Structure formats: C-alpha cells, structure tokens
Amino acid sequence: MAMTLYHGEPTGPSLTVLAALFESGLDAELRPIDLGMAERHGGTVPRAFEVDYSVEGEGPVLVVDGQALCDSVFIACYLDDAAPGCGLRPTDPYARWEMMAWCRWMIERVAPGAAALANLAWTTPRLAALDDGRFDALIAPIASQDLAERWRETRSGQLSAEHRAASEARVREATQKIEARLEARDWLMGSFSIADLESYAWVAPMRDLVPDAFTDKPRLAAWLARVEARPSVQQVLAQAGSPQPAHAFAPGPEINRWG
C-alpha cells in the first residue's frame, strides 16, 4: 500500500490527519502544500470528484494506491482501519456512534465559525495582497463554483457583523461543551480518539481570536495541554514550515452548513 499525504501547515484538518497518521504508525510520503494559496488545485495534487467537491473546503488529500481521499475525519477513520489496533475509534458500537456524532457537530457547527474568523484574520490579508490577475489564476482551476466563491469572499474580507457574532458564538459553544464533557475524564470519549484531534485542530487556534471563550475553563485548558503534549501531535507541530502555523487557514466548510 503506497500512500502520499498532501497537507497544509499543522492546523485545522491538516493537523487532524497528520496526527492520525502518526498515531497509526503507517508510512506515507509527506508533501506539504500551501492550502492558503490554493495549491491543492495547482495540478500537483491528484484530483477526484470527492476532493473537488469536499464539504470540508480546503483540506489535506491522502492518496492511497492512486486513489485520492479527502475530509479529515474520514481520512482518520481510514487510517484507523488500515492500522488494526491503532485505537483512534472506540470499539463499542454506541461509543463509536457517539464519537462520530461529536465529530459531525465539530465539522458542521464549530468548523465553519472557526474558519470564518481565522480566514478573516489571517488569510484575507494574504489574498488581498495579490493583484487581480494572480488571484484569478489561483482559483481558475477550482471545480466547485461554491468553493471558488468562498475564495472570493475570503479575499474581499466579507463577513457581516451577524456572521461574525454567530462564528464567535460557535467557538464559545464548543469551549463550553468541551469543558462540561471533560468532567471526570481526560479525553472527550473517555479514551483518546479522533474526536480529540478534530476538536483540538479547530478549537486551539481560536485562543488567539476569541480569548474570552477560554476563560475560567480549567478542564479545557488541561485538555489542550494534554493533546499538545501527545507524541503524535508534537510530531505534527514539528512539520511546521512557518513561524505561526496555527494561522495557516484556507476557506473551510461550506457556508451553507450554517444554521
């Protein structure tokens, strides 16, 4: 089984997949790309319908024996299956459902808000610095018109006061839910799982953007430290190619997943 992982800086969905790969112990060639400059669409990364129309937006792509896989939680599930005994998902049926339900909430409720705030703060300035011709060339290969429009909105810095408030509310909801969930347990599902990776990947960067959401939450703070100290996550963070890898975002989950 030959695997190649095209990934961005260690934040958001790229952090989830890189950490899951290192947890699995499987071998894969790592090819860093700049997701924030649309390099996933530049011709280097293998294309597939699922990749072009991924609801995750701009995320990593794992190529296995020529087949391109996308969406961080599903890639992590694949790696867990490919490495028996990895233990990234519970074996109990209800516990496994609970973990996947948590991840779906994270993807559909929290990630769009986190991505909106992160892109406004960190991606918009990068894209706004490009001239029109350079930007148009970057997004020209994007197959999904919805995703291309999100790139245009990101470049323009369009984010209404209502959308910003809703985004911040999603982050506060997440930190409150994690704080409550961690009563009498170290990990979100009891044992370490994909839920911890996906939640950390989206929530941890928000410390710089919605700091009040993290105030007076000792269990949350301890959990963030535990995840970051995990060897797989330390190995992921060592992949950073920029001084502030947590700020390396790109257009995220579909905007129409709001609600």
Side-chain angles (χ1 to χ4, degrees):
M1 180 173 62
M3 296 198 301
T4 302
L5 177 60
Y6 298 85
H7 64 88
E9 287 285 270
T11 193
S14 289
L15 187 149
T16 297
V17 172
L18 282 165
L21 174 65
F22 296 147
E23 289 278 346
S24 76
L26 297 169
D27 292 325
E29 179 185 359
L30 301 182
R31 294 192 185 180
I33 57 175
D34 190 343
L35 291 172
M37 286 287 114
E39 287 186 3
R40 200 183 74 175
H41 306 276
T44 301
V45 181
R47 305 288 288 270
F49 178 87
E50 293 80 7
V51 174
D52 283 341
Y53 293 91
S54 166
V55 297
E56 188 170 60
E58 300 293 357
V61 177
L62 179 67
V63 181
V64 183
D65 293 337
Q67 299 297 314
L69 287 66
C70 62
D71 294 313
S72 57
V73 170
F74 298 112
I75 294 176
C77 289
Y78 172 85
L79 294 169
D80 186 54
D81 282 335
C86 175
L88 282 176
R89 287 180 292 173
T91 56
D92 174 77
Y94 175 78
R96 181 169 287 201
W97 169 86
E98 188 178 31
M99 191 210 79
M100 293 304 293
W102 179 283
C103 288
R104 181 178 181 181
W105 167 75
M106 184 59 60
I107 294 167
E108 296 192 4
R109 294 283 291 178
V110 181
L117 296 171
N119 281 308
L120 181 65
W122 302 317
T123 312
T124 294
R126 294 187 71 197
L127 298 178
L130 303 175
D131 63 42
D132 290 348
R134 173 64 175 147
F135 177 75
D136 290 344
L138 281 182
I139 69 169
I142 296 176
S144 166
Q145 292 304 304
D146 173 76
L147 180 57
E149 184 58 30
R150 276 180 275 155
W151 275 92
R152 296 185 188 96
E153 290 173 354
T154 299
R155 186 187 186 220
S156 70
Q158 294 178 17
L159 192 67
S160 67
E162 180 183 9
H163 191 169
R164 181 165 191 153
S167 298
E168 293 176 352
R170 298 292 185 269
V171 173
R172 294 189 181 95
E173 179 186 23
T175 58
Q176 290 167 1
K177 188 170 181 176
I178 292 170
E179 176 73 11
R181 178 76 181 176
L182 290 170
E183 184 174 2
R185 63 174 71 196
D186 287 340
W187 306 110
L188 295 172
M189 297 296 127
S191 59
F192 184 80
S193 73
I194 296 168
D196 294 289
L197 291 176
E198 186 73 359
S199 300
Y200 178 89
W202 289 108
V203 171
M206 296 299 101
R207 289 175 290 191
D208 293 337
L209 298 177
V210 194
D212 65 281
F214 296 82
T215 303
D216 297 327
K217 295 182 176 63
R219 293 193 290 268
L220 170 66
W223 170 80
L224 287 166
R226 278 194 298 276
V227 177
E228 188 167 330
R230 197 164 177 93
S232 63
V233 177
Q234 284 292 300
Q235 191 175 354
V236 171
L237 297 177
Q239 306 298 315
S242 64
Q244 293 182 303
H247 296 183
F249 273 75
E254 290 178 300
I255 212 69
N256 62 8
R257 297 174 79 82
W258 280 83

